[in-house]
Amino acid sequence: MRVHYRAEDAPVSSRVDYWQEIINESVAPMDLRYDHEPSFSSEIVLGRLGRVNVTELRERSPGEARGRPREDRAGSYRVFMMTHGQTVTYRGGTETRLTPGEFVLTELSRPFHCFFQPRRAICVAFPKELLPLPDEEVASVLDVPIQGDEGVPALVTSLIARLPGCLDEVAGAAEGVRLSAAMLDLLSVALAGRVEREGATPPAARTRALLTRIHAFVEERLGDPGLTPAVVADAHHISLRYLYKLFESEGYGVADWIRRRRLERCRHDLLDPALADRPVRATGARWGFPDATQFNRSFRAAYGLPPAEFRRLASW
């Protein structure tokens, strides 16, 4: 579940105080100043996935913020990622300039002074104990911008960008925990790569991160009828045997999972009124079933009806 606040919901006369209180209570103690006070425009979305706090901040007015020192006995990290705009932050004499597609890991307890243009940023905060890396390894990458345009960092930014939209969509607490765990696994691999110490990442975390990458790879290519377990294995530089072993913990085989995901996409399209004019055969072909007979057989086996009959009954 998410909570949404807008600075514009308060009268102009009290907007600054209202927004300062919202930020202090929901994000962190800081002093804010906007160039267009008191009629500035800003909004924030807050939510939680497992033990990870998710914050989406949309600033439509330039300004600055000074984070106050805070006691953090348990110890927490925050990933700050830009999706639009620019932020320049100073911590302990070090300047960090973030632009869209970049993210940085920092400690919540550290004071800062930042200047920002109109921006959209996403923050995820979590206890240090959830990041399976030694403190001394993490210290070397704190407040260092990481480009999220390729490799594992690209998966980190892609997943973090989607977290605010998932706050109302996760089926329950368990699903939220799994989603946040996938993000933390990918983050740990990305950070370990930055310090050139892949061995610093526990094997279980590396395995989960690899599975997350494989899932993302398959989802992007479901429409390709040539997508096979061998293609998946080659793309991730692992043996076919190791790929099968990875999926043993998933409770189904690789080919079965690919077929199931394709059928789920087909089922979704067949239920969509906006796609009612699309031929059933075209729906199958779109999601990797170029052979209409095979599509009909597979769909009937999964849902008890051929696709055309399924669509007809669903439209009643």
Side-chain angles (χ1 to χ4, degrees):
M1 178 179 179
R2 66 178 183 169
V3 180
H4 187 189
Y5 296 103
R6 300 189 329 140
E8 297 92 314
D9 291 338
V12 171
S13 59
S14 60
R15 184 171 298 175
V16 174
D17 292 338
Y18 166 76
W19 200 242
Q20 183 74 67
E21 183 178 354
I22 291 293
I23 296 298
N24 286 348
E25 291 184 357
S26 60
V27 181
M30 66 182 74
D31 298 312
L32 295 167
R33 187 190 66 79
Y34 292 93
D35 291 359
H36 304 309
E37 291 182 7
S39 59
F40 68 94
S41 175
S42 184
E43 62 183 300
I44 190 171
V45 172
L46 306 165
R48 190 174 179 87
L49 296 170
R51 298 175 64 191
V52 174
N53 290 318
V54 180
T55 303
E56 180 183 17
L57 184 64
R58 298 180 182 180
E59 306 270 17
R60 299 184 183 88
S61 304
E64 64 180 289
R66 288 183 180 271
R68 308 169 197 160
R70 59 180 292 187
E71 186 177 12
D72 186 17
R73 293 180 179 177
S76 300
Y77 289 127
R78 169 179 287 157
V79 176
F80 188 85
M81 187 186 83
M82 297 294 299
T83 59
H84 299 286
Q86 178 176 279
T87 298
V88 180
T89 303
Y90 298 90
R91 278 190 177 89
T94 300
E95 176 184 305
T96 301
R97 186 179 300 269
L98 280 185
T99 56
E102 294 181 315
F103 66 92
V104 67
L105 180 74
T106 190
E107 291 179 308
L108 284 178
S109 59
R110 301 183 66 189
F112 65 88
H113 185 195
C114 78
F115 298 86
F116 53 85
Q117 296 299 314
R119 63 179 179 173
R120 177 176 177 261
I122 300 173
C123 306
V124 290
F126 51 89
K128 288 184 176 182
E129 64 193 60
L130 296 185
L131 191 66
L133 293 173
D135 290 345
E136 60 271 18
E137 297 288 348
V138 177
S140 66
V141 296
L142 285 175
D143 303 314
V144 178
I146 297 176
Q147 292 279 353
D149 53 355
E150 61 181 16
V152 178
L155 292 173
V156 175
T157 56
S158 177
L159 185 52
I160 289 179
R162 287 170 169 77
L163 291 182
C166 293
L167 294 174
D168 288 333
E169 296 177 1
V170 293
E175 186 173 337
V177 169
R178 288 194 295 270
L179 183 58
S180 60
M183 185 274 297
L184 291 170
D185 286 338
L186 288 172
L187 177 64
S188 67
V189 174
L191 295 176
R194 290 284 296 187
V195 297
E196 299 180 346
R197 279 283 309 278
E198 183 174 340
T201 311
R206 292 202 302 273
T207 298
R208 291 193 299 267
L210 176 58
L211 269 172
T212 300
R213 296 200 301 274
I214 289 172
H215 286 170
F217 177 85
V218 170
E219 291 291 340
E220 292 176 357
R221 294 163 177 81
L222 286 175
D224 179 4
L227 180 67
T228 64
V231 170
V232 175
D234 288 344
H236 293 84
H237 310 292
I238 59 177
S239 69
L240 192 57
R241 181 177 180 181
Y242 184 57
L243 178 66
Y244 289 144
K245 186 174 180 61
L246 283 174
F247 270 76
E248 287 178 1
S249 62
E250 301 290 280
Y252 40 76
V254 187
D256 287 342
W257 180 69
I258 293 174
R259 182 171 56 254
R260 187 175 71 173
R261 290 299 300 134
R262 284 171 168 163
L263 289 170
E264 287 173 357
R265 292 293 187 91
C266 292
R267 177 179 180 275
H268 179 274
D269 284 5
L270 292 171
L271 291 173
D272 188 346
L275 302 177
D277 292 335
R278 175 185 291 165
V280 169
R281 179 172 185 158
T283 297
R286 181 190 182 195
W287 295 115
F289 292 102
D291 186 315
T293 301
Q294 181 194 14
F295 174 45
N296 275 271
R297 186 184 304 117
S298 298
F299 195 93
R300 180 193 287 270
Y303 300 110
L305 293 170
E309 184 71 5
F310 178 86
R311 169 188 272 175
R312 185 181 67 81
L313 293 177
S315 65
W316 282 9

